[in-house]
Amino acid sequence: MTAAQVTGINEPGRRIAEEAAALLPALSAIRRDIHAHPELAFEEVRTAGIVTAELARLGIPHRTGLGKTGVVGIIEGGRPGPTLAIRADMDALPIHEETGLPFASTVDGKMHACGHDIHTVTLLGVAEVLKGMAPMLAGRVALVFQPAEEVLGGAAAMIADGAAEGIDLALGFHNHPDMPVGETGFARGSCLAASDRFDLVVRGKSGHAAHPDAAVDPIVAASNFVSQVQTVVSREVNPLHPAVVTIGMFQGGTTYNIIPERVHLKGTVRTLDDGTRELAEAAIRRLCAGLEAGFRVECALDYRRLVPPLVNDDSVLDRVLAAVSAQLGEAPKAGVPSMGSEDFAEFARIVPSAHLRIGSGAPGRADKLHNAGYQPDEGCIAMGVQALSRAALEILA
């Protein structure tokens, strides 16, 4: 934010902007420490320790061990009111880092390639800003530091341990390298997809490749399933309702001249509404039954629903958009939904929620999430602190 923009906003907004800028060097240092020591899902012991130490330094009471490694801090406002949760995820990915940065991962095969290190310190910055402005809040803020988003299990685990008890509203966010720092965005309604996954074992009868009539070939059957399952989206789902069915693994056989006993497939299903989600699962189950009848194989399908679609509630989203516009001097840009998934959806299923996109693209780069070379611009930390702090201040006005 420029000096002219700072002088053009109200006093609380000016204070937020100045504090976010002042906090950035310290937050960047913490981020680089977390980045150099990435931890995978439900392993975030060191990261959670950093979070609890910072909350303790700020005098913010907190609970630990929620969802195994999650942390929730509470900021009490000066007047009665609702409880707003702001959630950040903490886990890394099983990717070997190739950035060459001086603070690159020190752990082989693990990297913060999705920017959850950015999210963690952004919420720490929000904690410090809102702690100092607590008398202005009507209600309280729950600072939710969540493990295991990448496996879509951390939110449910924290909720099972009571992390959502007493929460009335929730706010989530994610860095977006496709947008420059200073730009924010959103999508109305279902902004991120439900995520389901399945394992399918197709079992036939092993035999010599020269005598297929004496065997039951699971490779041919499974290959037909791969082709047929694509018709779920192209011929059964309403073309106006986005859906994705992808087979990510096809494993079977050992050599040239043996028909194997079995083939193992792994797939994912992404949908933006509950009706399409139901249809897709039913169609996949029906195709498996048809495979058994048509190819004489046995199909063992393990179909698991992971998270629902992430649905933005307009009543919360509109207040967030107004607050961010006032703070940053630029309205968040309306975007389209993504078929990616995010387990903040578990909180959004319980209470009215909104999910904000925060630009993290570095000048001259075209970074992508979940990439070994991912390098977000750390300037997005201060922008996130401003946006989220102002949103909380306005929601709890």
Side-chain angles (χ1 to χ4, degrees), residues 170-193:
L171 179 57
F173 64 101
H174 205 291
N175 77 98
H176 270 250
D178 56 335
M179 305 188 316
V181 170
E183 189 174 291
T184 57
F186 68 97
R188 289 200 178 274
S190 293
C191 62
L192 287 158

Side-chain angles (χ1 to χ4, degrees), residues 181-320:
V181 170
E183 189 174 291
T184 57
F186 68 97
R188 289 200 178 274
S190 293
C191 62
L192 287 158
S195 179
D196 301 327
R197 64 179 55 165
F198 61 88
D199 283 80
L200 173 61
V201 176
V202 181
R203 186 177 296 276
K205 180 181 178 183
S206 181
H208 198 296
H211 305 287
D213 55 306
V216 176
D217 195 336
I219 288 182
V220 173
S223 297
N224 273 267
F225 174 82
V226 172
S227 296
Q228 290 175 348
V229 80
Q230 300 308 312
T231 67
V232 174
V233 174
S234 67
R235 287 298 177 267
E236 296 196 44
V237 172
N238 185 325
L240 300 179
H241 295 177
V244 172
V245 179
T246 296
I247 303 298
M249 189 195 85
F250 189 115
Q251 189 176 79
T254 57
T255 191
Y256 306 99
N257 61 347
I258 299 175
I259 293 173
E261 187 76 16
R262 50 179 275 174
V263 171
H264 186 187
L265 294 84
K266 292 180 180 287
T268 184
V269 180
R270 307 297 177 98
T271 52
L272 287 177
D273 66 88
D274 290 336
T276 304
R277 193 181 193 188
E278 296 281 351
L279 184 154
E281 180 180 351
I284 289 170
R285 293 188 181 279
R286 190 186 68 247
L287 289 174
C288 288
L291 211 64
E292 291 182 321
F295 290 89
R296 301 174 293 145
V297 295
E298 295 177 2
C299 291
L301 177 67
D302 179 16
Y303 195 102
R304 287 152 294 167
R305 294 193 173 196
L306 299 181
V307 295
L310 173 48
V311 181
N312 275 324
D313 182 280
D314 281 345
S315 67
V316 181
L317 180 64
D318 286 341
R319 294 159 78 183
V320 171

